[in-house]
Amino acid sequence: MSSAKRINLALQGGGSHGAYSWGALEALLEREDLDVVAISGASAGAMNAVVFASGLLEGGREGARRKLQDFWLSVSAEGALPSAERGVFDLWLNAWTTMFSPQRWFDAASQFASPYAFNPLDVNPLRDHLDGLVDFAKLRAGAGPRLFVAATNVQTGRGEVFRREALTCDHVMASACLPQLFQAVEIAGVAYWDGGYSGNPPLWPLFADGESQDTIVVEIDPIARKGTPRSAEQIADRVNEITFNASLLAELRAAEFVDRLLESGALKDSQHRRQRLHRIGGDGKLDSFSAASKLDVTWTLLTTLRDLGRAAARRWLEANFDAIGQRSTIDVGAVIGRRS
């Protein structure tokens, strides 16, 4: 039986900023004394999760590292996207990024069209690349970390979590479906949008899974920022961060509440266990990257973010590896504002 420490990973979404999690995953793969037993993810976090798991299944740690790089290179501006598809993809990104420019805000807003109008055939280059890299039939049937992919039900507004045993490319694309850019993804007659709206990333499946009580959240959207945004771009960026962190904060509040009940003895239920929570990120390194850069797929930006994530994970492991299996390394009460 392996003596490696077992952990869960919770990967936030955030478009191109998901390359930060790519770097963090590379650093975690370097540790032979660490096993990832479950991963939850939304949007880019879901893509990282399935690519990582697929690589592990097919080629072990080196296979996961290689497949993650292949995935991010394939969607980069310098990657293998065919020129026709690249043109369409760049058109989408350019249309959306103008929305974050204060000088062109009102003009762009008046001209911006629904994806049902400017992309009536629902072409999504990312789907082909993901489907080409990941053998979903093999992934569903194979061994490896449990997977939990979040998407948002458009009709109910509720989050839904899809498990590894049922995953298809459609589930992952639903998790990454920004409604301003892509048509809703329909699965069994139900329309879905980006999972970040309802679970970014979802924590409860990891807590209920039971194989590990240690969960590392890889944070992409800063939860806290100093100062008050004043420009239109700064305001839009902060609204974006608050929106996509709301579900995570709600789950952290619930986890902290249950933890206090267990600690006090008020809750005595074998189905509930104290959870040890950890975080990679949240150190301010991503604060200078605007929301608009989440749609920048230049290789220079992606590798810069990868390097930041890899360095952050290595620092965290050096400082906190011994805490895995022993205690939390973040003060959840402080994060959610229950105590300072």
Side-chain angles (χ1 to χ4, degrees), residues 160-209:
E160 295 189 23
V161 173
F162 305 107
R163 296 171 181 264
R164 178 174 182 150
E165 296 76 14
L167 279 183
T168 67
C169 189
D170 281 345
H171 292 106
V172 184
M173 297 312 300
S175 183
C177 179
L178 280 174
Q180 299 88 353
L181 292 179
F182 305 111
Q183 296 181 26
V185 177
E186 289 201 6
I187 301 172
V190 179
Y192 293 97
W193 281 340
D194 198 290
Y197 295 120
S198 55
N200 191 29
L203 300 181
W204 65 263
L206 301 174
F207 298 162
D209 185 58

Side-chain angles (χ1 to χ4, degrees), residues 30-324:
E30 294 169 353
R31 298 295 301 249
E32 297 282 348
D33 50 1
L34 200 62
D35 282 339
V36 177
V37 297
I39 316 175
S40 71
S43 199
M47 292 191 173
N48 274 324
V50 298
V51 171
F52 173 86
S54 175
L56 274 180
L57 180 64
E58 296 176 13
R61 292 173 183 266
E62 177 58 26
R65 188 203 63 78
R66 185 171 56 250
K67 187 155 287 199
L68 281 165
Q69 172 154 321
D70 289 346
F71 170 73
W72 285 98
L73 180 61
S74 74
V75 300
S76 76
E78 290 80 3
L81 203 63
S83 58
E85 289 188 355
R86 170 58 57 194
V88 174
F89 195 53
D90 288 345
L91 177 63
W92 293 340
L93 298 187
N94 289 335
W96 181 239
T97 53
T98 60
M99 295 295 290
F100 293 94
S101 169
Q103 294 79 12
R104 302 182 64 185
W105 181 279
F106 293 107
D107 179 57
S110 65
Q111 296 182 31
F112 194 75
S114 159
Y116 291 86
F118 69 73
N119 183 23
L121 298 179
D122 198 23
V123 176
N124 190 332
L126 291 177
R127 181 190 300 274
D128 292 338
H129 285 278
L130 184 65
D131 212 20
L133 273 173
V134 176
D135 184 333
F136 280 91
K138 184 181 293 185
L139 183 68
R140 289 191 297 271
R146 293 174 172 84
L147 294 176
F148 305 97
V149 169
T152 304
N153 186 310
V154 177
Q155 281 76 36
T156 67
R158 292 193 295 266
E160 295 189 23
V161 173
F162 305 107
R163 296 171 181 264
R164 178 174 182 150
E165 296 76 14
L167 279 183
T168 67
C169 189
D170 281 345
H171 292 106
V172 184
M173 297 312 300
S175 183
C177 179
L178 280 174
Q180 299 88 353
L181 292 179
F182 305 111
Q183 296 181 26
V185 177
E186 289 201 6
I187 301 172
V190 179
Y192 293 97
W193 281 340
D194 198 290
Y197 295 120
S198 55
N200 191 29
L203 300 181
W204 65 263
L206 301 174
F207 298 162
D209 185 58
E211 194 167 341
S212 173
Q213 292 171 254
D214 286 88
T215 296
I216 301 175
V217 179
V218 182
E219 181 182 310
I220 290 178
D221 281 317
I223 291 176
R225 277 188 184 269
K226 295 181 179 179
T228 303
R230 298 192 180 276
S231 72
E233 183 174 14
Q234 291 170 344
I235 291 169
D237 283 1
R238 190 58 186 145
V239 167
N240 179 285
E241 290 167 353
I242 291 170
T243 299
F244 281 98
N245 275 322
S247 58
L248 174 60
L249 286 170
E251 289 201 75
L252 288 174
R253 289 189 188 96
E256 196 266 351
F257 179 63
V258 170
D259 194 60
R260 283 191 286 121
L261 292 178
L262 289 169
E263 185 176 12
S264 69
L267 178 61
K268 297 178 181 179
D269 182 348
S270 60
Q271 292 185 340
H272 292 89
R273 300 183 303 167
R274 298 189 66 178
Q275 300 295 321
R276 294 180 289 268
L277 291 167
H278 316 278
R279 174 172 62 182
I280 293 172
D283 54 4
K285 298 294 185 181
L286 293 179
D287 289 7
S288 62
F289 294 88
S290 69
S293 68
K294 292 180 179 180
L295 298 170
D296 181 347
V297 290
T298 58
W299 188 239
T300 299
L301 175 68
L302 296 179
T303 53
T304 296
L305 291 165
R306 176 204 60 194
D307 293 347
L308 287 174
R310 186 165 51 199
R314 286 172 175 169
R315 287 194 302 271
W316 186 89
L317 287 165
E318 183 177 355
N320 298 293
F321 182 80
D322 290 343
I324 299 173

